[in-house]
């Protein structure tokens, strides 16, 4: 697997002096989804970012951020996170041989992400407060110079994440009619805008947020005050809000119609498209940002439990009906 930095070297701020810290990120599948597309009335393509090494798109930005931190001699990295940035920072820091300090909002990140981050050897601190409080703490500590901040405020994160646009356009053989992504803190929206700009495209970008940011069950995008909001608003991206019920319906439908099990936040774009939008008939790329195994508790609440049965063919046949 070609590292993302090698594949897009000419479009990234790296040089021969940059040590490439890679886990084989990027080059993810772009899947045509005709069955779900027909139901939604669009020509639907899904960018399956869950196939990145830690199970989310964060790895695209983290390979660049940690490689640059290593180049600049950072002794440790720090981030605040709703969970996926945590896992990615922990993995790339381990790969670089430097420690990761992770601040998470107390009790608010999905179980799979927390376990993944712990297993990857990061020091995990549960901050009494929400994501905004954790991010403020991480920024203040990073300002002291002991840790490199690898949140999306780090411009190298945006640089790495913009490459998804290049991949999609290359694979489709041209631009789609629209891109649709979830919107939490807004770093990824800025990355798509940058990627589109550098590719010379004016394709519309829809960024889908929760209508109840502080409480949504989609914990990845449970962020009250998006740190990139001013830039998102100025960018021309179109922001739409969806409800938790819409997210859950879209999330289950994606799994059942197309065989893709993602985490709830990743279904925000489909939740909006299910309303029947102005994109009817268009070729639309929806980015599925993170894997379903990241949040087993939520899946456990919504997927049918197994049925207990004796190892007897009649009993199995009866139970299968
Ligand atoms: N999808 C997933 C799976 C995410 O983990 C995130 C953000 C988003 C979408 C939204 O992207 O914040 O750039 O607008 N997760 C961050 C984290 C906040 O800490 O893992 P955004």
């Amino acid at each position: 697997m070609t590292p993302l930095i090698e594949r897009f070297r000419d479009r990234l701020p790296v040089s021969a002096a940059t040590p490439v810290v890679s886990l084989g990120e990027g080059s993810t599948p772009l899947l045509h989804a005709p069955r779900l597309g027909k139901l939604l009335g669009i020509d639907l393509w899904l960018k399956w970012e869950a196939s990145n090494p830690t199970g989310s798109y964060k790895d695209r930005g983290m390979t660049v951020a940690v490689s640059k931190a290593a180049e600049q001699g950072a002794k440790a990295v720090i981030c605040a996170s709703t969970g996926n940035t945590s896992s990615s920072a922990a993995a790339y820091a381990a790969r670089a041989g430097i420690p990761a300090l992770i601040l998470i909002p107390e009790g608010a990140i999905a179980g799979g992400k927390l376990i993944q981050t712990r297993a990857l050897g990061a020091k995990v601190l549960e901050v009494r407060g929400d994501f905004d409080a954790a991010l403020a703490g991480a920024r203040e500590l990073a300002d002291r110079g002991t840790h490199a901040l690898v949140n999306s405020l780090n411009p190298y994160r945006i640089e790495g994440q913009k490459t998804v646009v290049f991949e999609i356009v290359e694979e489709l053989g041209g631009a789609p009619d629209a891109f649709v992504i979830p919107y939490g803190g807004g770093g990824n929206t800025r990355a798509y805008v940058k990627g589109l700009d550098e590719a010379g495209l004016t394709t519309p970008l829809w960024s889908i947020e929760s209508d109840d940011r502080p409480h949504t069950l989609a914990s990845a995008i449970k962020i009250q005050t998006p740190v990139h909001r001013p830039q998102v608003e100025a960018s021309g991206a179109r922001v739409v809000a969806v409800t938790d019920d819409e997210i859950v319906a879209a999330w289950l439908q994606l799994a059942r119609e197309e065989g893709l099990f993602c985490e709830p936040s990743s279904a925000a774009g489909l939740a909006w498209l299910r309303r029947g939008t102005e994109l009817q008939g268009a070729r639309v790329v929806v980015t599925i940002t993170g894997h379903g195994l990241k949040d087993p508790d939520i899946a456990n609440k919504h997927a049918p439990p197994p049925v207990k049965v004796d190892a007897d063919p009649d009993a199995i046949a009866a139970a299968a009906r």
Side-chain angles (χ1 to χ4, degrees), residues 28-52:
T28 56
L30 181 67
L31 303 165
H32 196 213
R35 191 175 309 114
L36 184 53
K38 193 166 180 217
L39 292 170
L40 301 182
I42 55 178
D43 180 19
L44 177 63
W45 294 78
L46 301 167
K47 185 62 168 165
W48 179 239
E49 289 286 90
S51 80
N52 276 296

Side-chain angles (χ1 to χ4, degrees), residues 55-58 79-87 103 105 109 113 131 151-152 157-158 161 181-191 207-208 213 219-223 226-228 232 263-267 287-291 294:
S56 87
Y57 76 93
K58 303 287 181 179
C79 69
S81 178
T82 57
N84 281 321
T85 298
S86 312
S87 306
L103 306 187
I109 83 166
K113 301 175 189 180
F131 171 80
N151 275 100
S152 61
R157 283 275 312 280
I158 307 290
Q161 286 171 211
I181 63 171
Y183 169 24
N188 209 31
T189 297
R190 291 184 71 184
S207 292
I208 316 301
R213 282 178 161 272
S219 61
I221 54 171
K222 186 173 171 177
I223 296 175
V227 67
H228 298 284
V232 168
E263 60 174 291
S265 64
S266 299
T287 300
I288 308 299
T289 48
H291 205 285
K294 293 271 192 178

